[in-house]
Every structure is written in structure tokens, then in C-alpha cells.
Amino acid sequence: MKPSQSRSMGKIKPCFYRRIFVLLLILFSAGSYGADSPWNGKSAAVSLTYDDALGVHIDNVAPVLAQNDLLATFYVTSNSWPLRSRLDDWRAIATSGHELGNHTLFHPCAGDKPGREWLNKELYLNEWSEQRYIGNLNINNTLLQALDGKTERSFAYPCGDTEVAGKSYVETITPMFTAARMVGGTPPTIDKVDLMRIPSHMVMGDSAEKLISLVEAGIKNHTWVVFLFHGVGGEHGLNVSKEAHAELVNYLGKHKKDVWIAPVTDIANYVKDKQKAKK
Ligand SMILES: [Zn+2]
């Protein structure tokens, strides 16, 4: 080795270590969730979900989403009249890129819980067998596939109920869906997401300010905020005004820089990849 080479190596060394340090830093950042922008490079994630296949979802929701170029998840109960009577409209919703999620064929719920007086006895999930219930979900998946051509979708527990015949069915349906949405709970950070138990905020007469404040909290806490809507401008007892809903959607349309707004399955697949990489 020439003395000049040795001198130059001596000069290179600190630079070399600096490079290694930077490389390690990059590798470390890639392996982590990214402290300030863990959600696909954004501070928070938001999913807008609409349950029970109502006509107002076609008439009052889809146009506002389209104006803001946003995609959502519609949890479809195929026995609903607005689904059966407006198949072309639902097909158009799927073609626009929205997710059609499974919300069972008949919407059975536990009949032995308080406040379930409205429920038809035929739909008492606590009196169904698991086999009957899974068949119900399979047929709904098939109907939805006939509408959107997809074999991958998420699920929303009807009435938030996770038991059939007194036993949890969460594990049984895990291979059938990308994720499953619960009713209620606290928005999780990406490392805390349980894909078969995704919390949601059920909207009941909320003001636009209240809805927007939940997104702002998501941005601050880096969480996945999932909104659960039923009626939007009517058609369901659990309702929000058309105006408040539009104000939230318009707000989201203006904050795409900070918030990743996407259907549940898109975000669930992202979470799955990140959680796998972290293991
Ligand atoms: Zn429902």
C-alpha cells in the first residue's frame, strides 16, 4: 500500500462511518411505521363506511364522494330493498372504485340484548347455528362478487354482534375477509390495529364540527378513524343531516395531504403488510 493510499483511507474513514450511520438510519426508518406519517405517508387514516345498503347512499352520499374524488366502503345487506331494486346503481358504485363490504344477507342480530325489540324473531342470531350464519355470509359474498367481480372484501358485524349460538365467530370468519369493522371503540394507531376488530364511530345526529373534530384528533394522534353511517339525510333512525355529512366529506377532500382516506380493505391490506414487516 502506498503512503498516499493510506492517507486517503484515513481521510475516507469518518465519511465511511457517516455513510453507514445514514444507511442504518434509513433502514431503521423503513422498518418502523414512521412516527409522523405512518399511514401511507400521511398523519392519519380515515375510512367512511355506510351500512345496510340504503337508497340515500346512492342519492346523497355517492355524489358528494365523487365531487371530492374520495372512495368509501358500503356495507351491503343484500336483502335490503334499495339493493334489490337498484342493482345497476350499486354496480355503478362498485365501478367507481368504492368497496362493497359484506354486512350479511339478512342482517341477523342477537335478540337477547337490551334494546333489540325492533328485531324480528326470525333474525335472532343467538338462536342461529354457526353453519347457518356462515352460509348467510357466503351467499352474500357471492352476490357481491356478481356485482363487483371481486373476491376480496371486508365485513361489518351486524349490530356489532360477534357471537352466534353463544360463541364467538370471529376466528371462523377471519380467512373469509380482509378485515372486520366493529361498532364503537377507540381509533387505533397502526401498531395497535386488530384487523378483525376495527373500532368505529357510529354517527347519530352528529354536527359537522363534531365529525371534523374526530378527524383532527386522528391527525394529532396518528390513528385510523372509521366513521359508521346509516341514514344520511333520512331513511334510517340512526341518521345524520345531508349537510353535516357533506361538510365532513368536503373537509376530507381538502385535507388529503394530511389524511389517507380509503376503503377499509385498502387500509387493512396496508396495515397487514406493515405489521408483517415489523415482526
Ligand atoms: Zn347494519
Side-chain angles (χ1 to χ4, degrees):
M1 190 187 290
K2 290 178 188 168
S4 61
Q5 272 182 319
S6 160
R7 260 202 316 278
S8 76
M9 276 189 77
K11 275 179 197 163
I12 283 166
K13 261 182 191 166
C15 173
F16 175 75
Y17 285 125
R18 212 160 36 236
R19 277 183 191 167
I20 291 287
F21 176 72
V22 170
L23 193 68
L24 285 172
L25 204 66
I26 289 166
L27 284 172
F28 178 75
S29 313
S32 75
Y33 294 114
D36 294 329
S37 49
W39 297 99
N40 203 13
K42 314 282 172 80
S43 298
V46 166
S47 291
L48 299 166
T49 70
Y50 302 88
D51 285 20
D52 300 352
L54 305 177
V56 287
H57 298 162
I58 297 166
D59 301 326
N60 297 347
V61 172
V64 188
L65 294 176
Q67 279 160 21
N68 286 280
D69 198 18
L70 291 174
L71 294 175
T73 298
F74 293 87
Y75 284 115
V76 172
T77 301
S78 294
N79 194 37
S80 88
W81 175 243
L83 187 281
R84 289 185 286 135
S85 60
R86 299 180 70 176
L87 277 182
D88 285 343
D89 290 327
W90 289 99
R91 199 171 283 121
I93 282 185
T95 306
S96 309
H98 297 295
E99 176 184 14
L100 298 184
N102 190 325
H103 197 39
T104 76
L105 188 57
F106 292 122
H107 208 295
C109 297
D112 54 352
K113 286 189 179 173
R116 296 283 166 82
E117 296 74 23
W118 54 272
L119 192 64
N120 183 324
K121 273 198 112 176
E122 292 289 326
L123 300 175
Y124 278 15
L125 188 54
N126 47 304
E127 292 176 10
W128 283 28
S129 68
E130 185 178 88
Q131 193 181 3
R132 180 183 176 191
Y133 186 56
I134 299 302
N136 193 286
L137 301 185
N138 281 333
I139 296 168
N140 205 36
N141 266 349
T142 305
L143 283 169
L144 293 175
Q145 189 184 345
L147 269 181
D148 65 13
K150 293 184 178 164
T151 52
E152 186 183 60
R153 66 190 79 252
S154 63
F155 175 71
Y157 298 100
C159 302
D161 292 336
T162 56
E163 291 192 348
V164 61
K167 198 174 136 270
S168 168
Y169 64 85
V170 176
E171 227 171 283
T172 311
I173 66 163
T174 300
M176 296 169 62
F177 299 106
T178 54
R181 198 215 61 209
M182 309 274 290
V183 177
T186 309
T189 50
I190 193 163
D191 54 323
K192 296 282 182 337
V193 174
D194 177 348
L195 286 171
M196 290 309 287
R197 292 178 181 80
I198 299 169
S200 69
H201 171 75
M202 187 159 80
V203 179
M204 283 188 289
D206 296 350
S207 65
E209 293 72 30
K210 163 82 196 256
L211 298 173
I212 290 168
S213 75
L214 295 173
V215 180
E216 287 170 341
I219 294 171
K220 188 167 158 260
N221 301 321
H222 305 309
T223 52
W224 182 8
V225 181
V226 179
F227 289 98
L228 188 182
F229 292 97
H230 289 89
V232 176
E235 206 178 322
H236 200 287
L238 302 169
N239 188 50
V240 67
S241 75
K242 213 173 140 177
E243 294 72 23
H245 171 265
E247 224 175 293
L248 169 69
V249 176
N250 292 335
Y251 169 89
L252 290 170
K254 290 190 188 99
H255 288 78
K256 291 179 189 168
K257 195 166 64 66
D258 305 313
V259 187
W260 181 29
I261 306 123
V264 170
T265 279
D266 292 12
I267 297 180
N269 283 335
Y270 180 83
V271 170
K272 210 176 279 179
D273 286 349
K274 285 283 169 186
Q275 290 185 346
K276 214 184 285 172
K278 195 78 176 145
K279 274 179 189 163

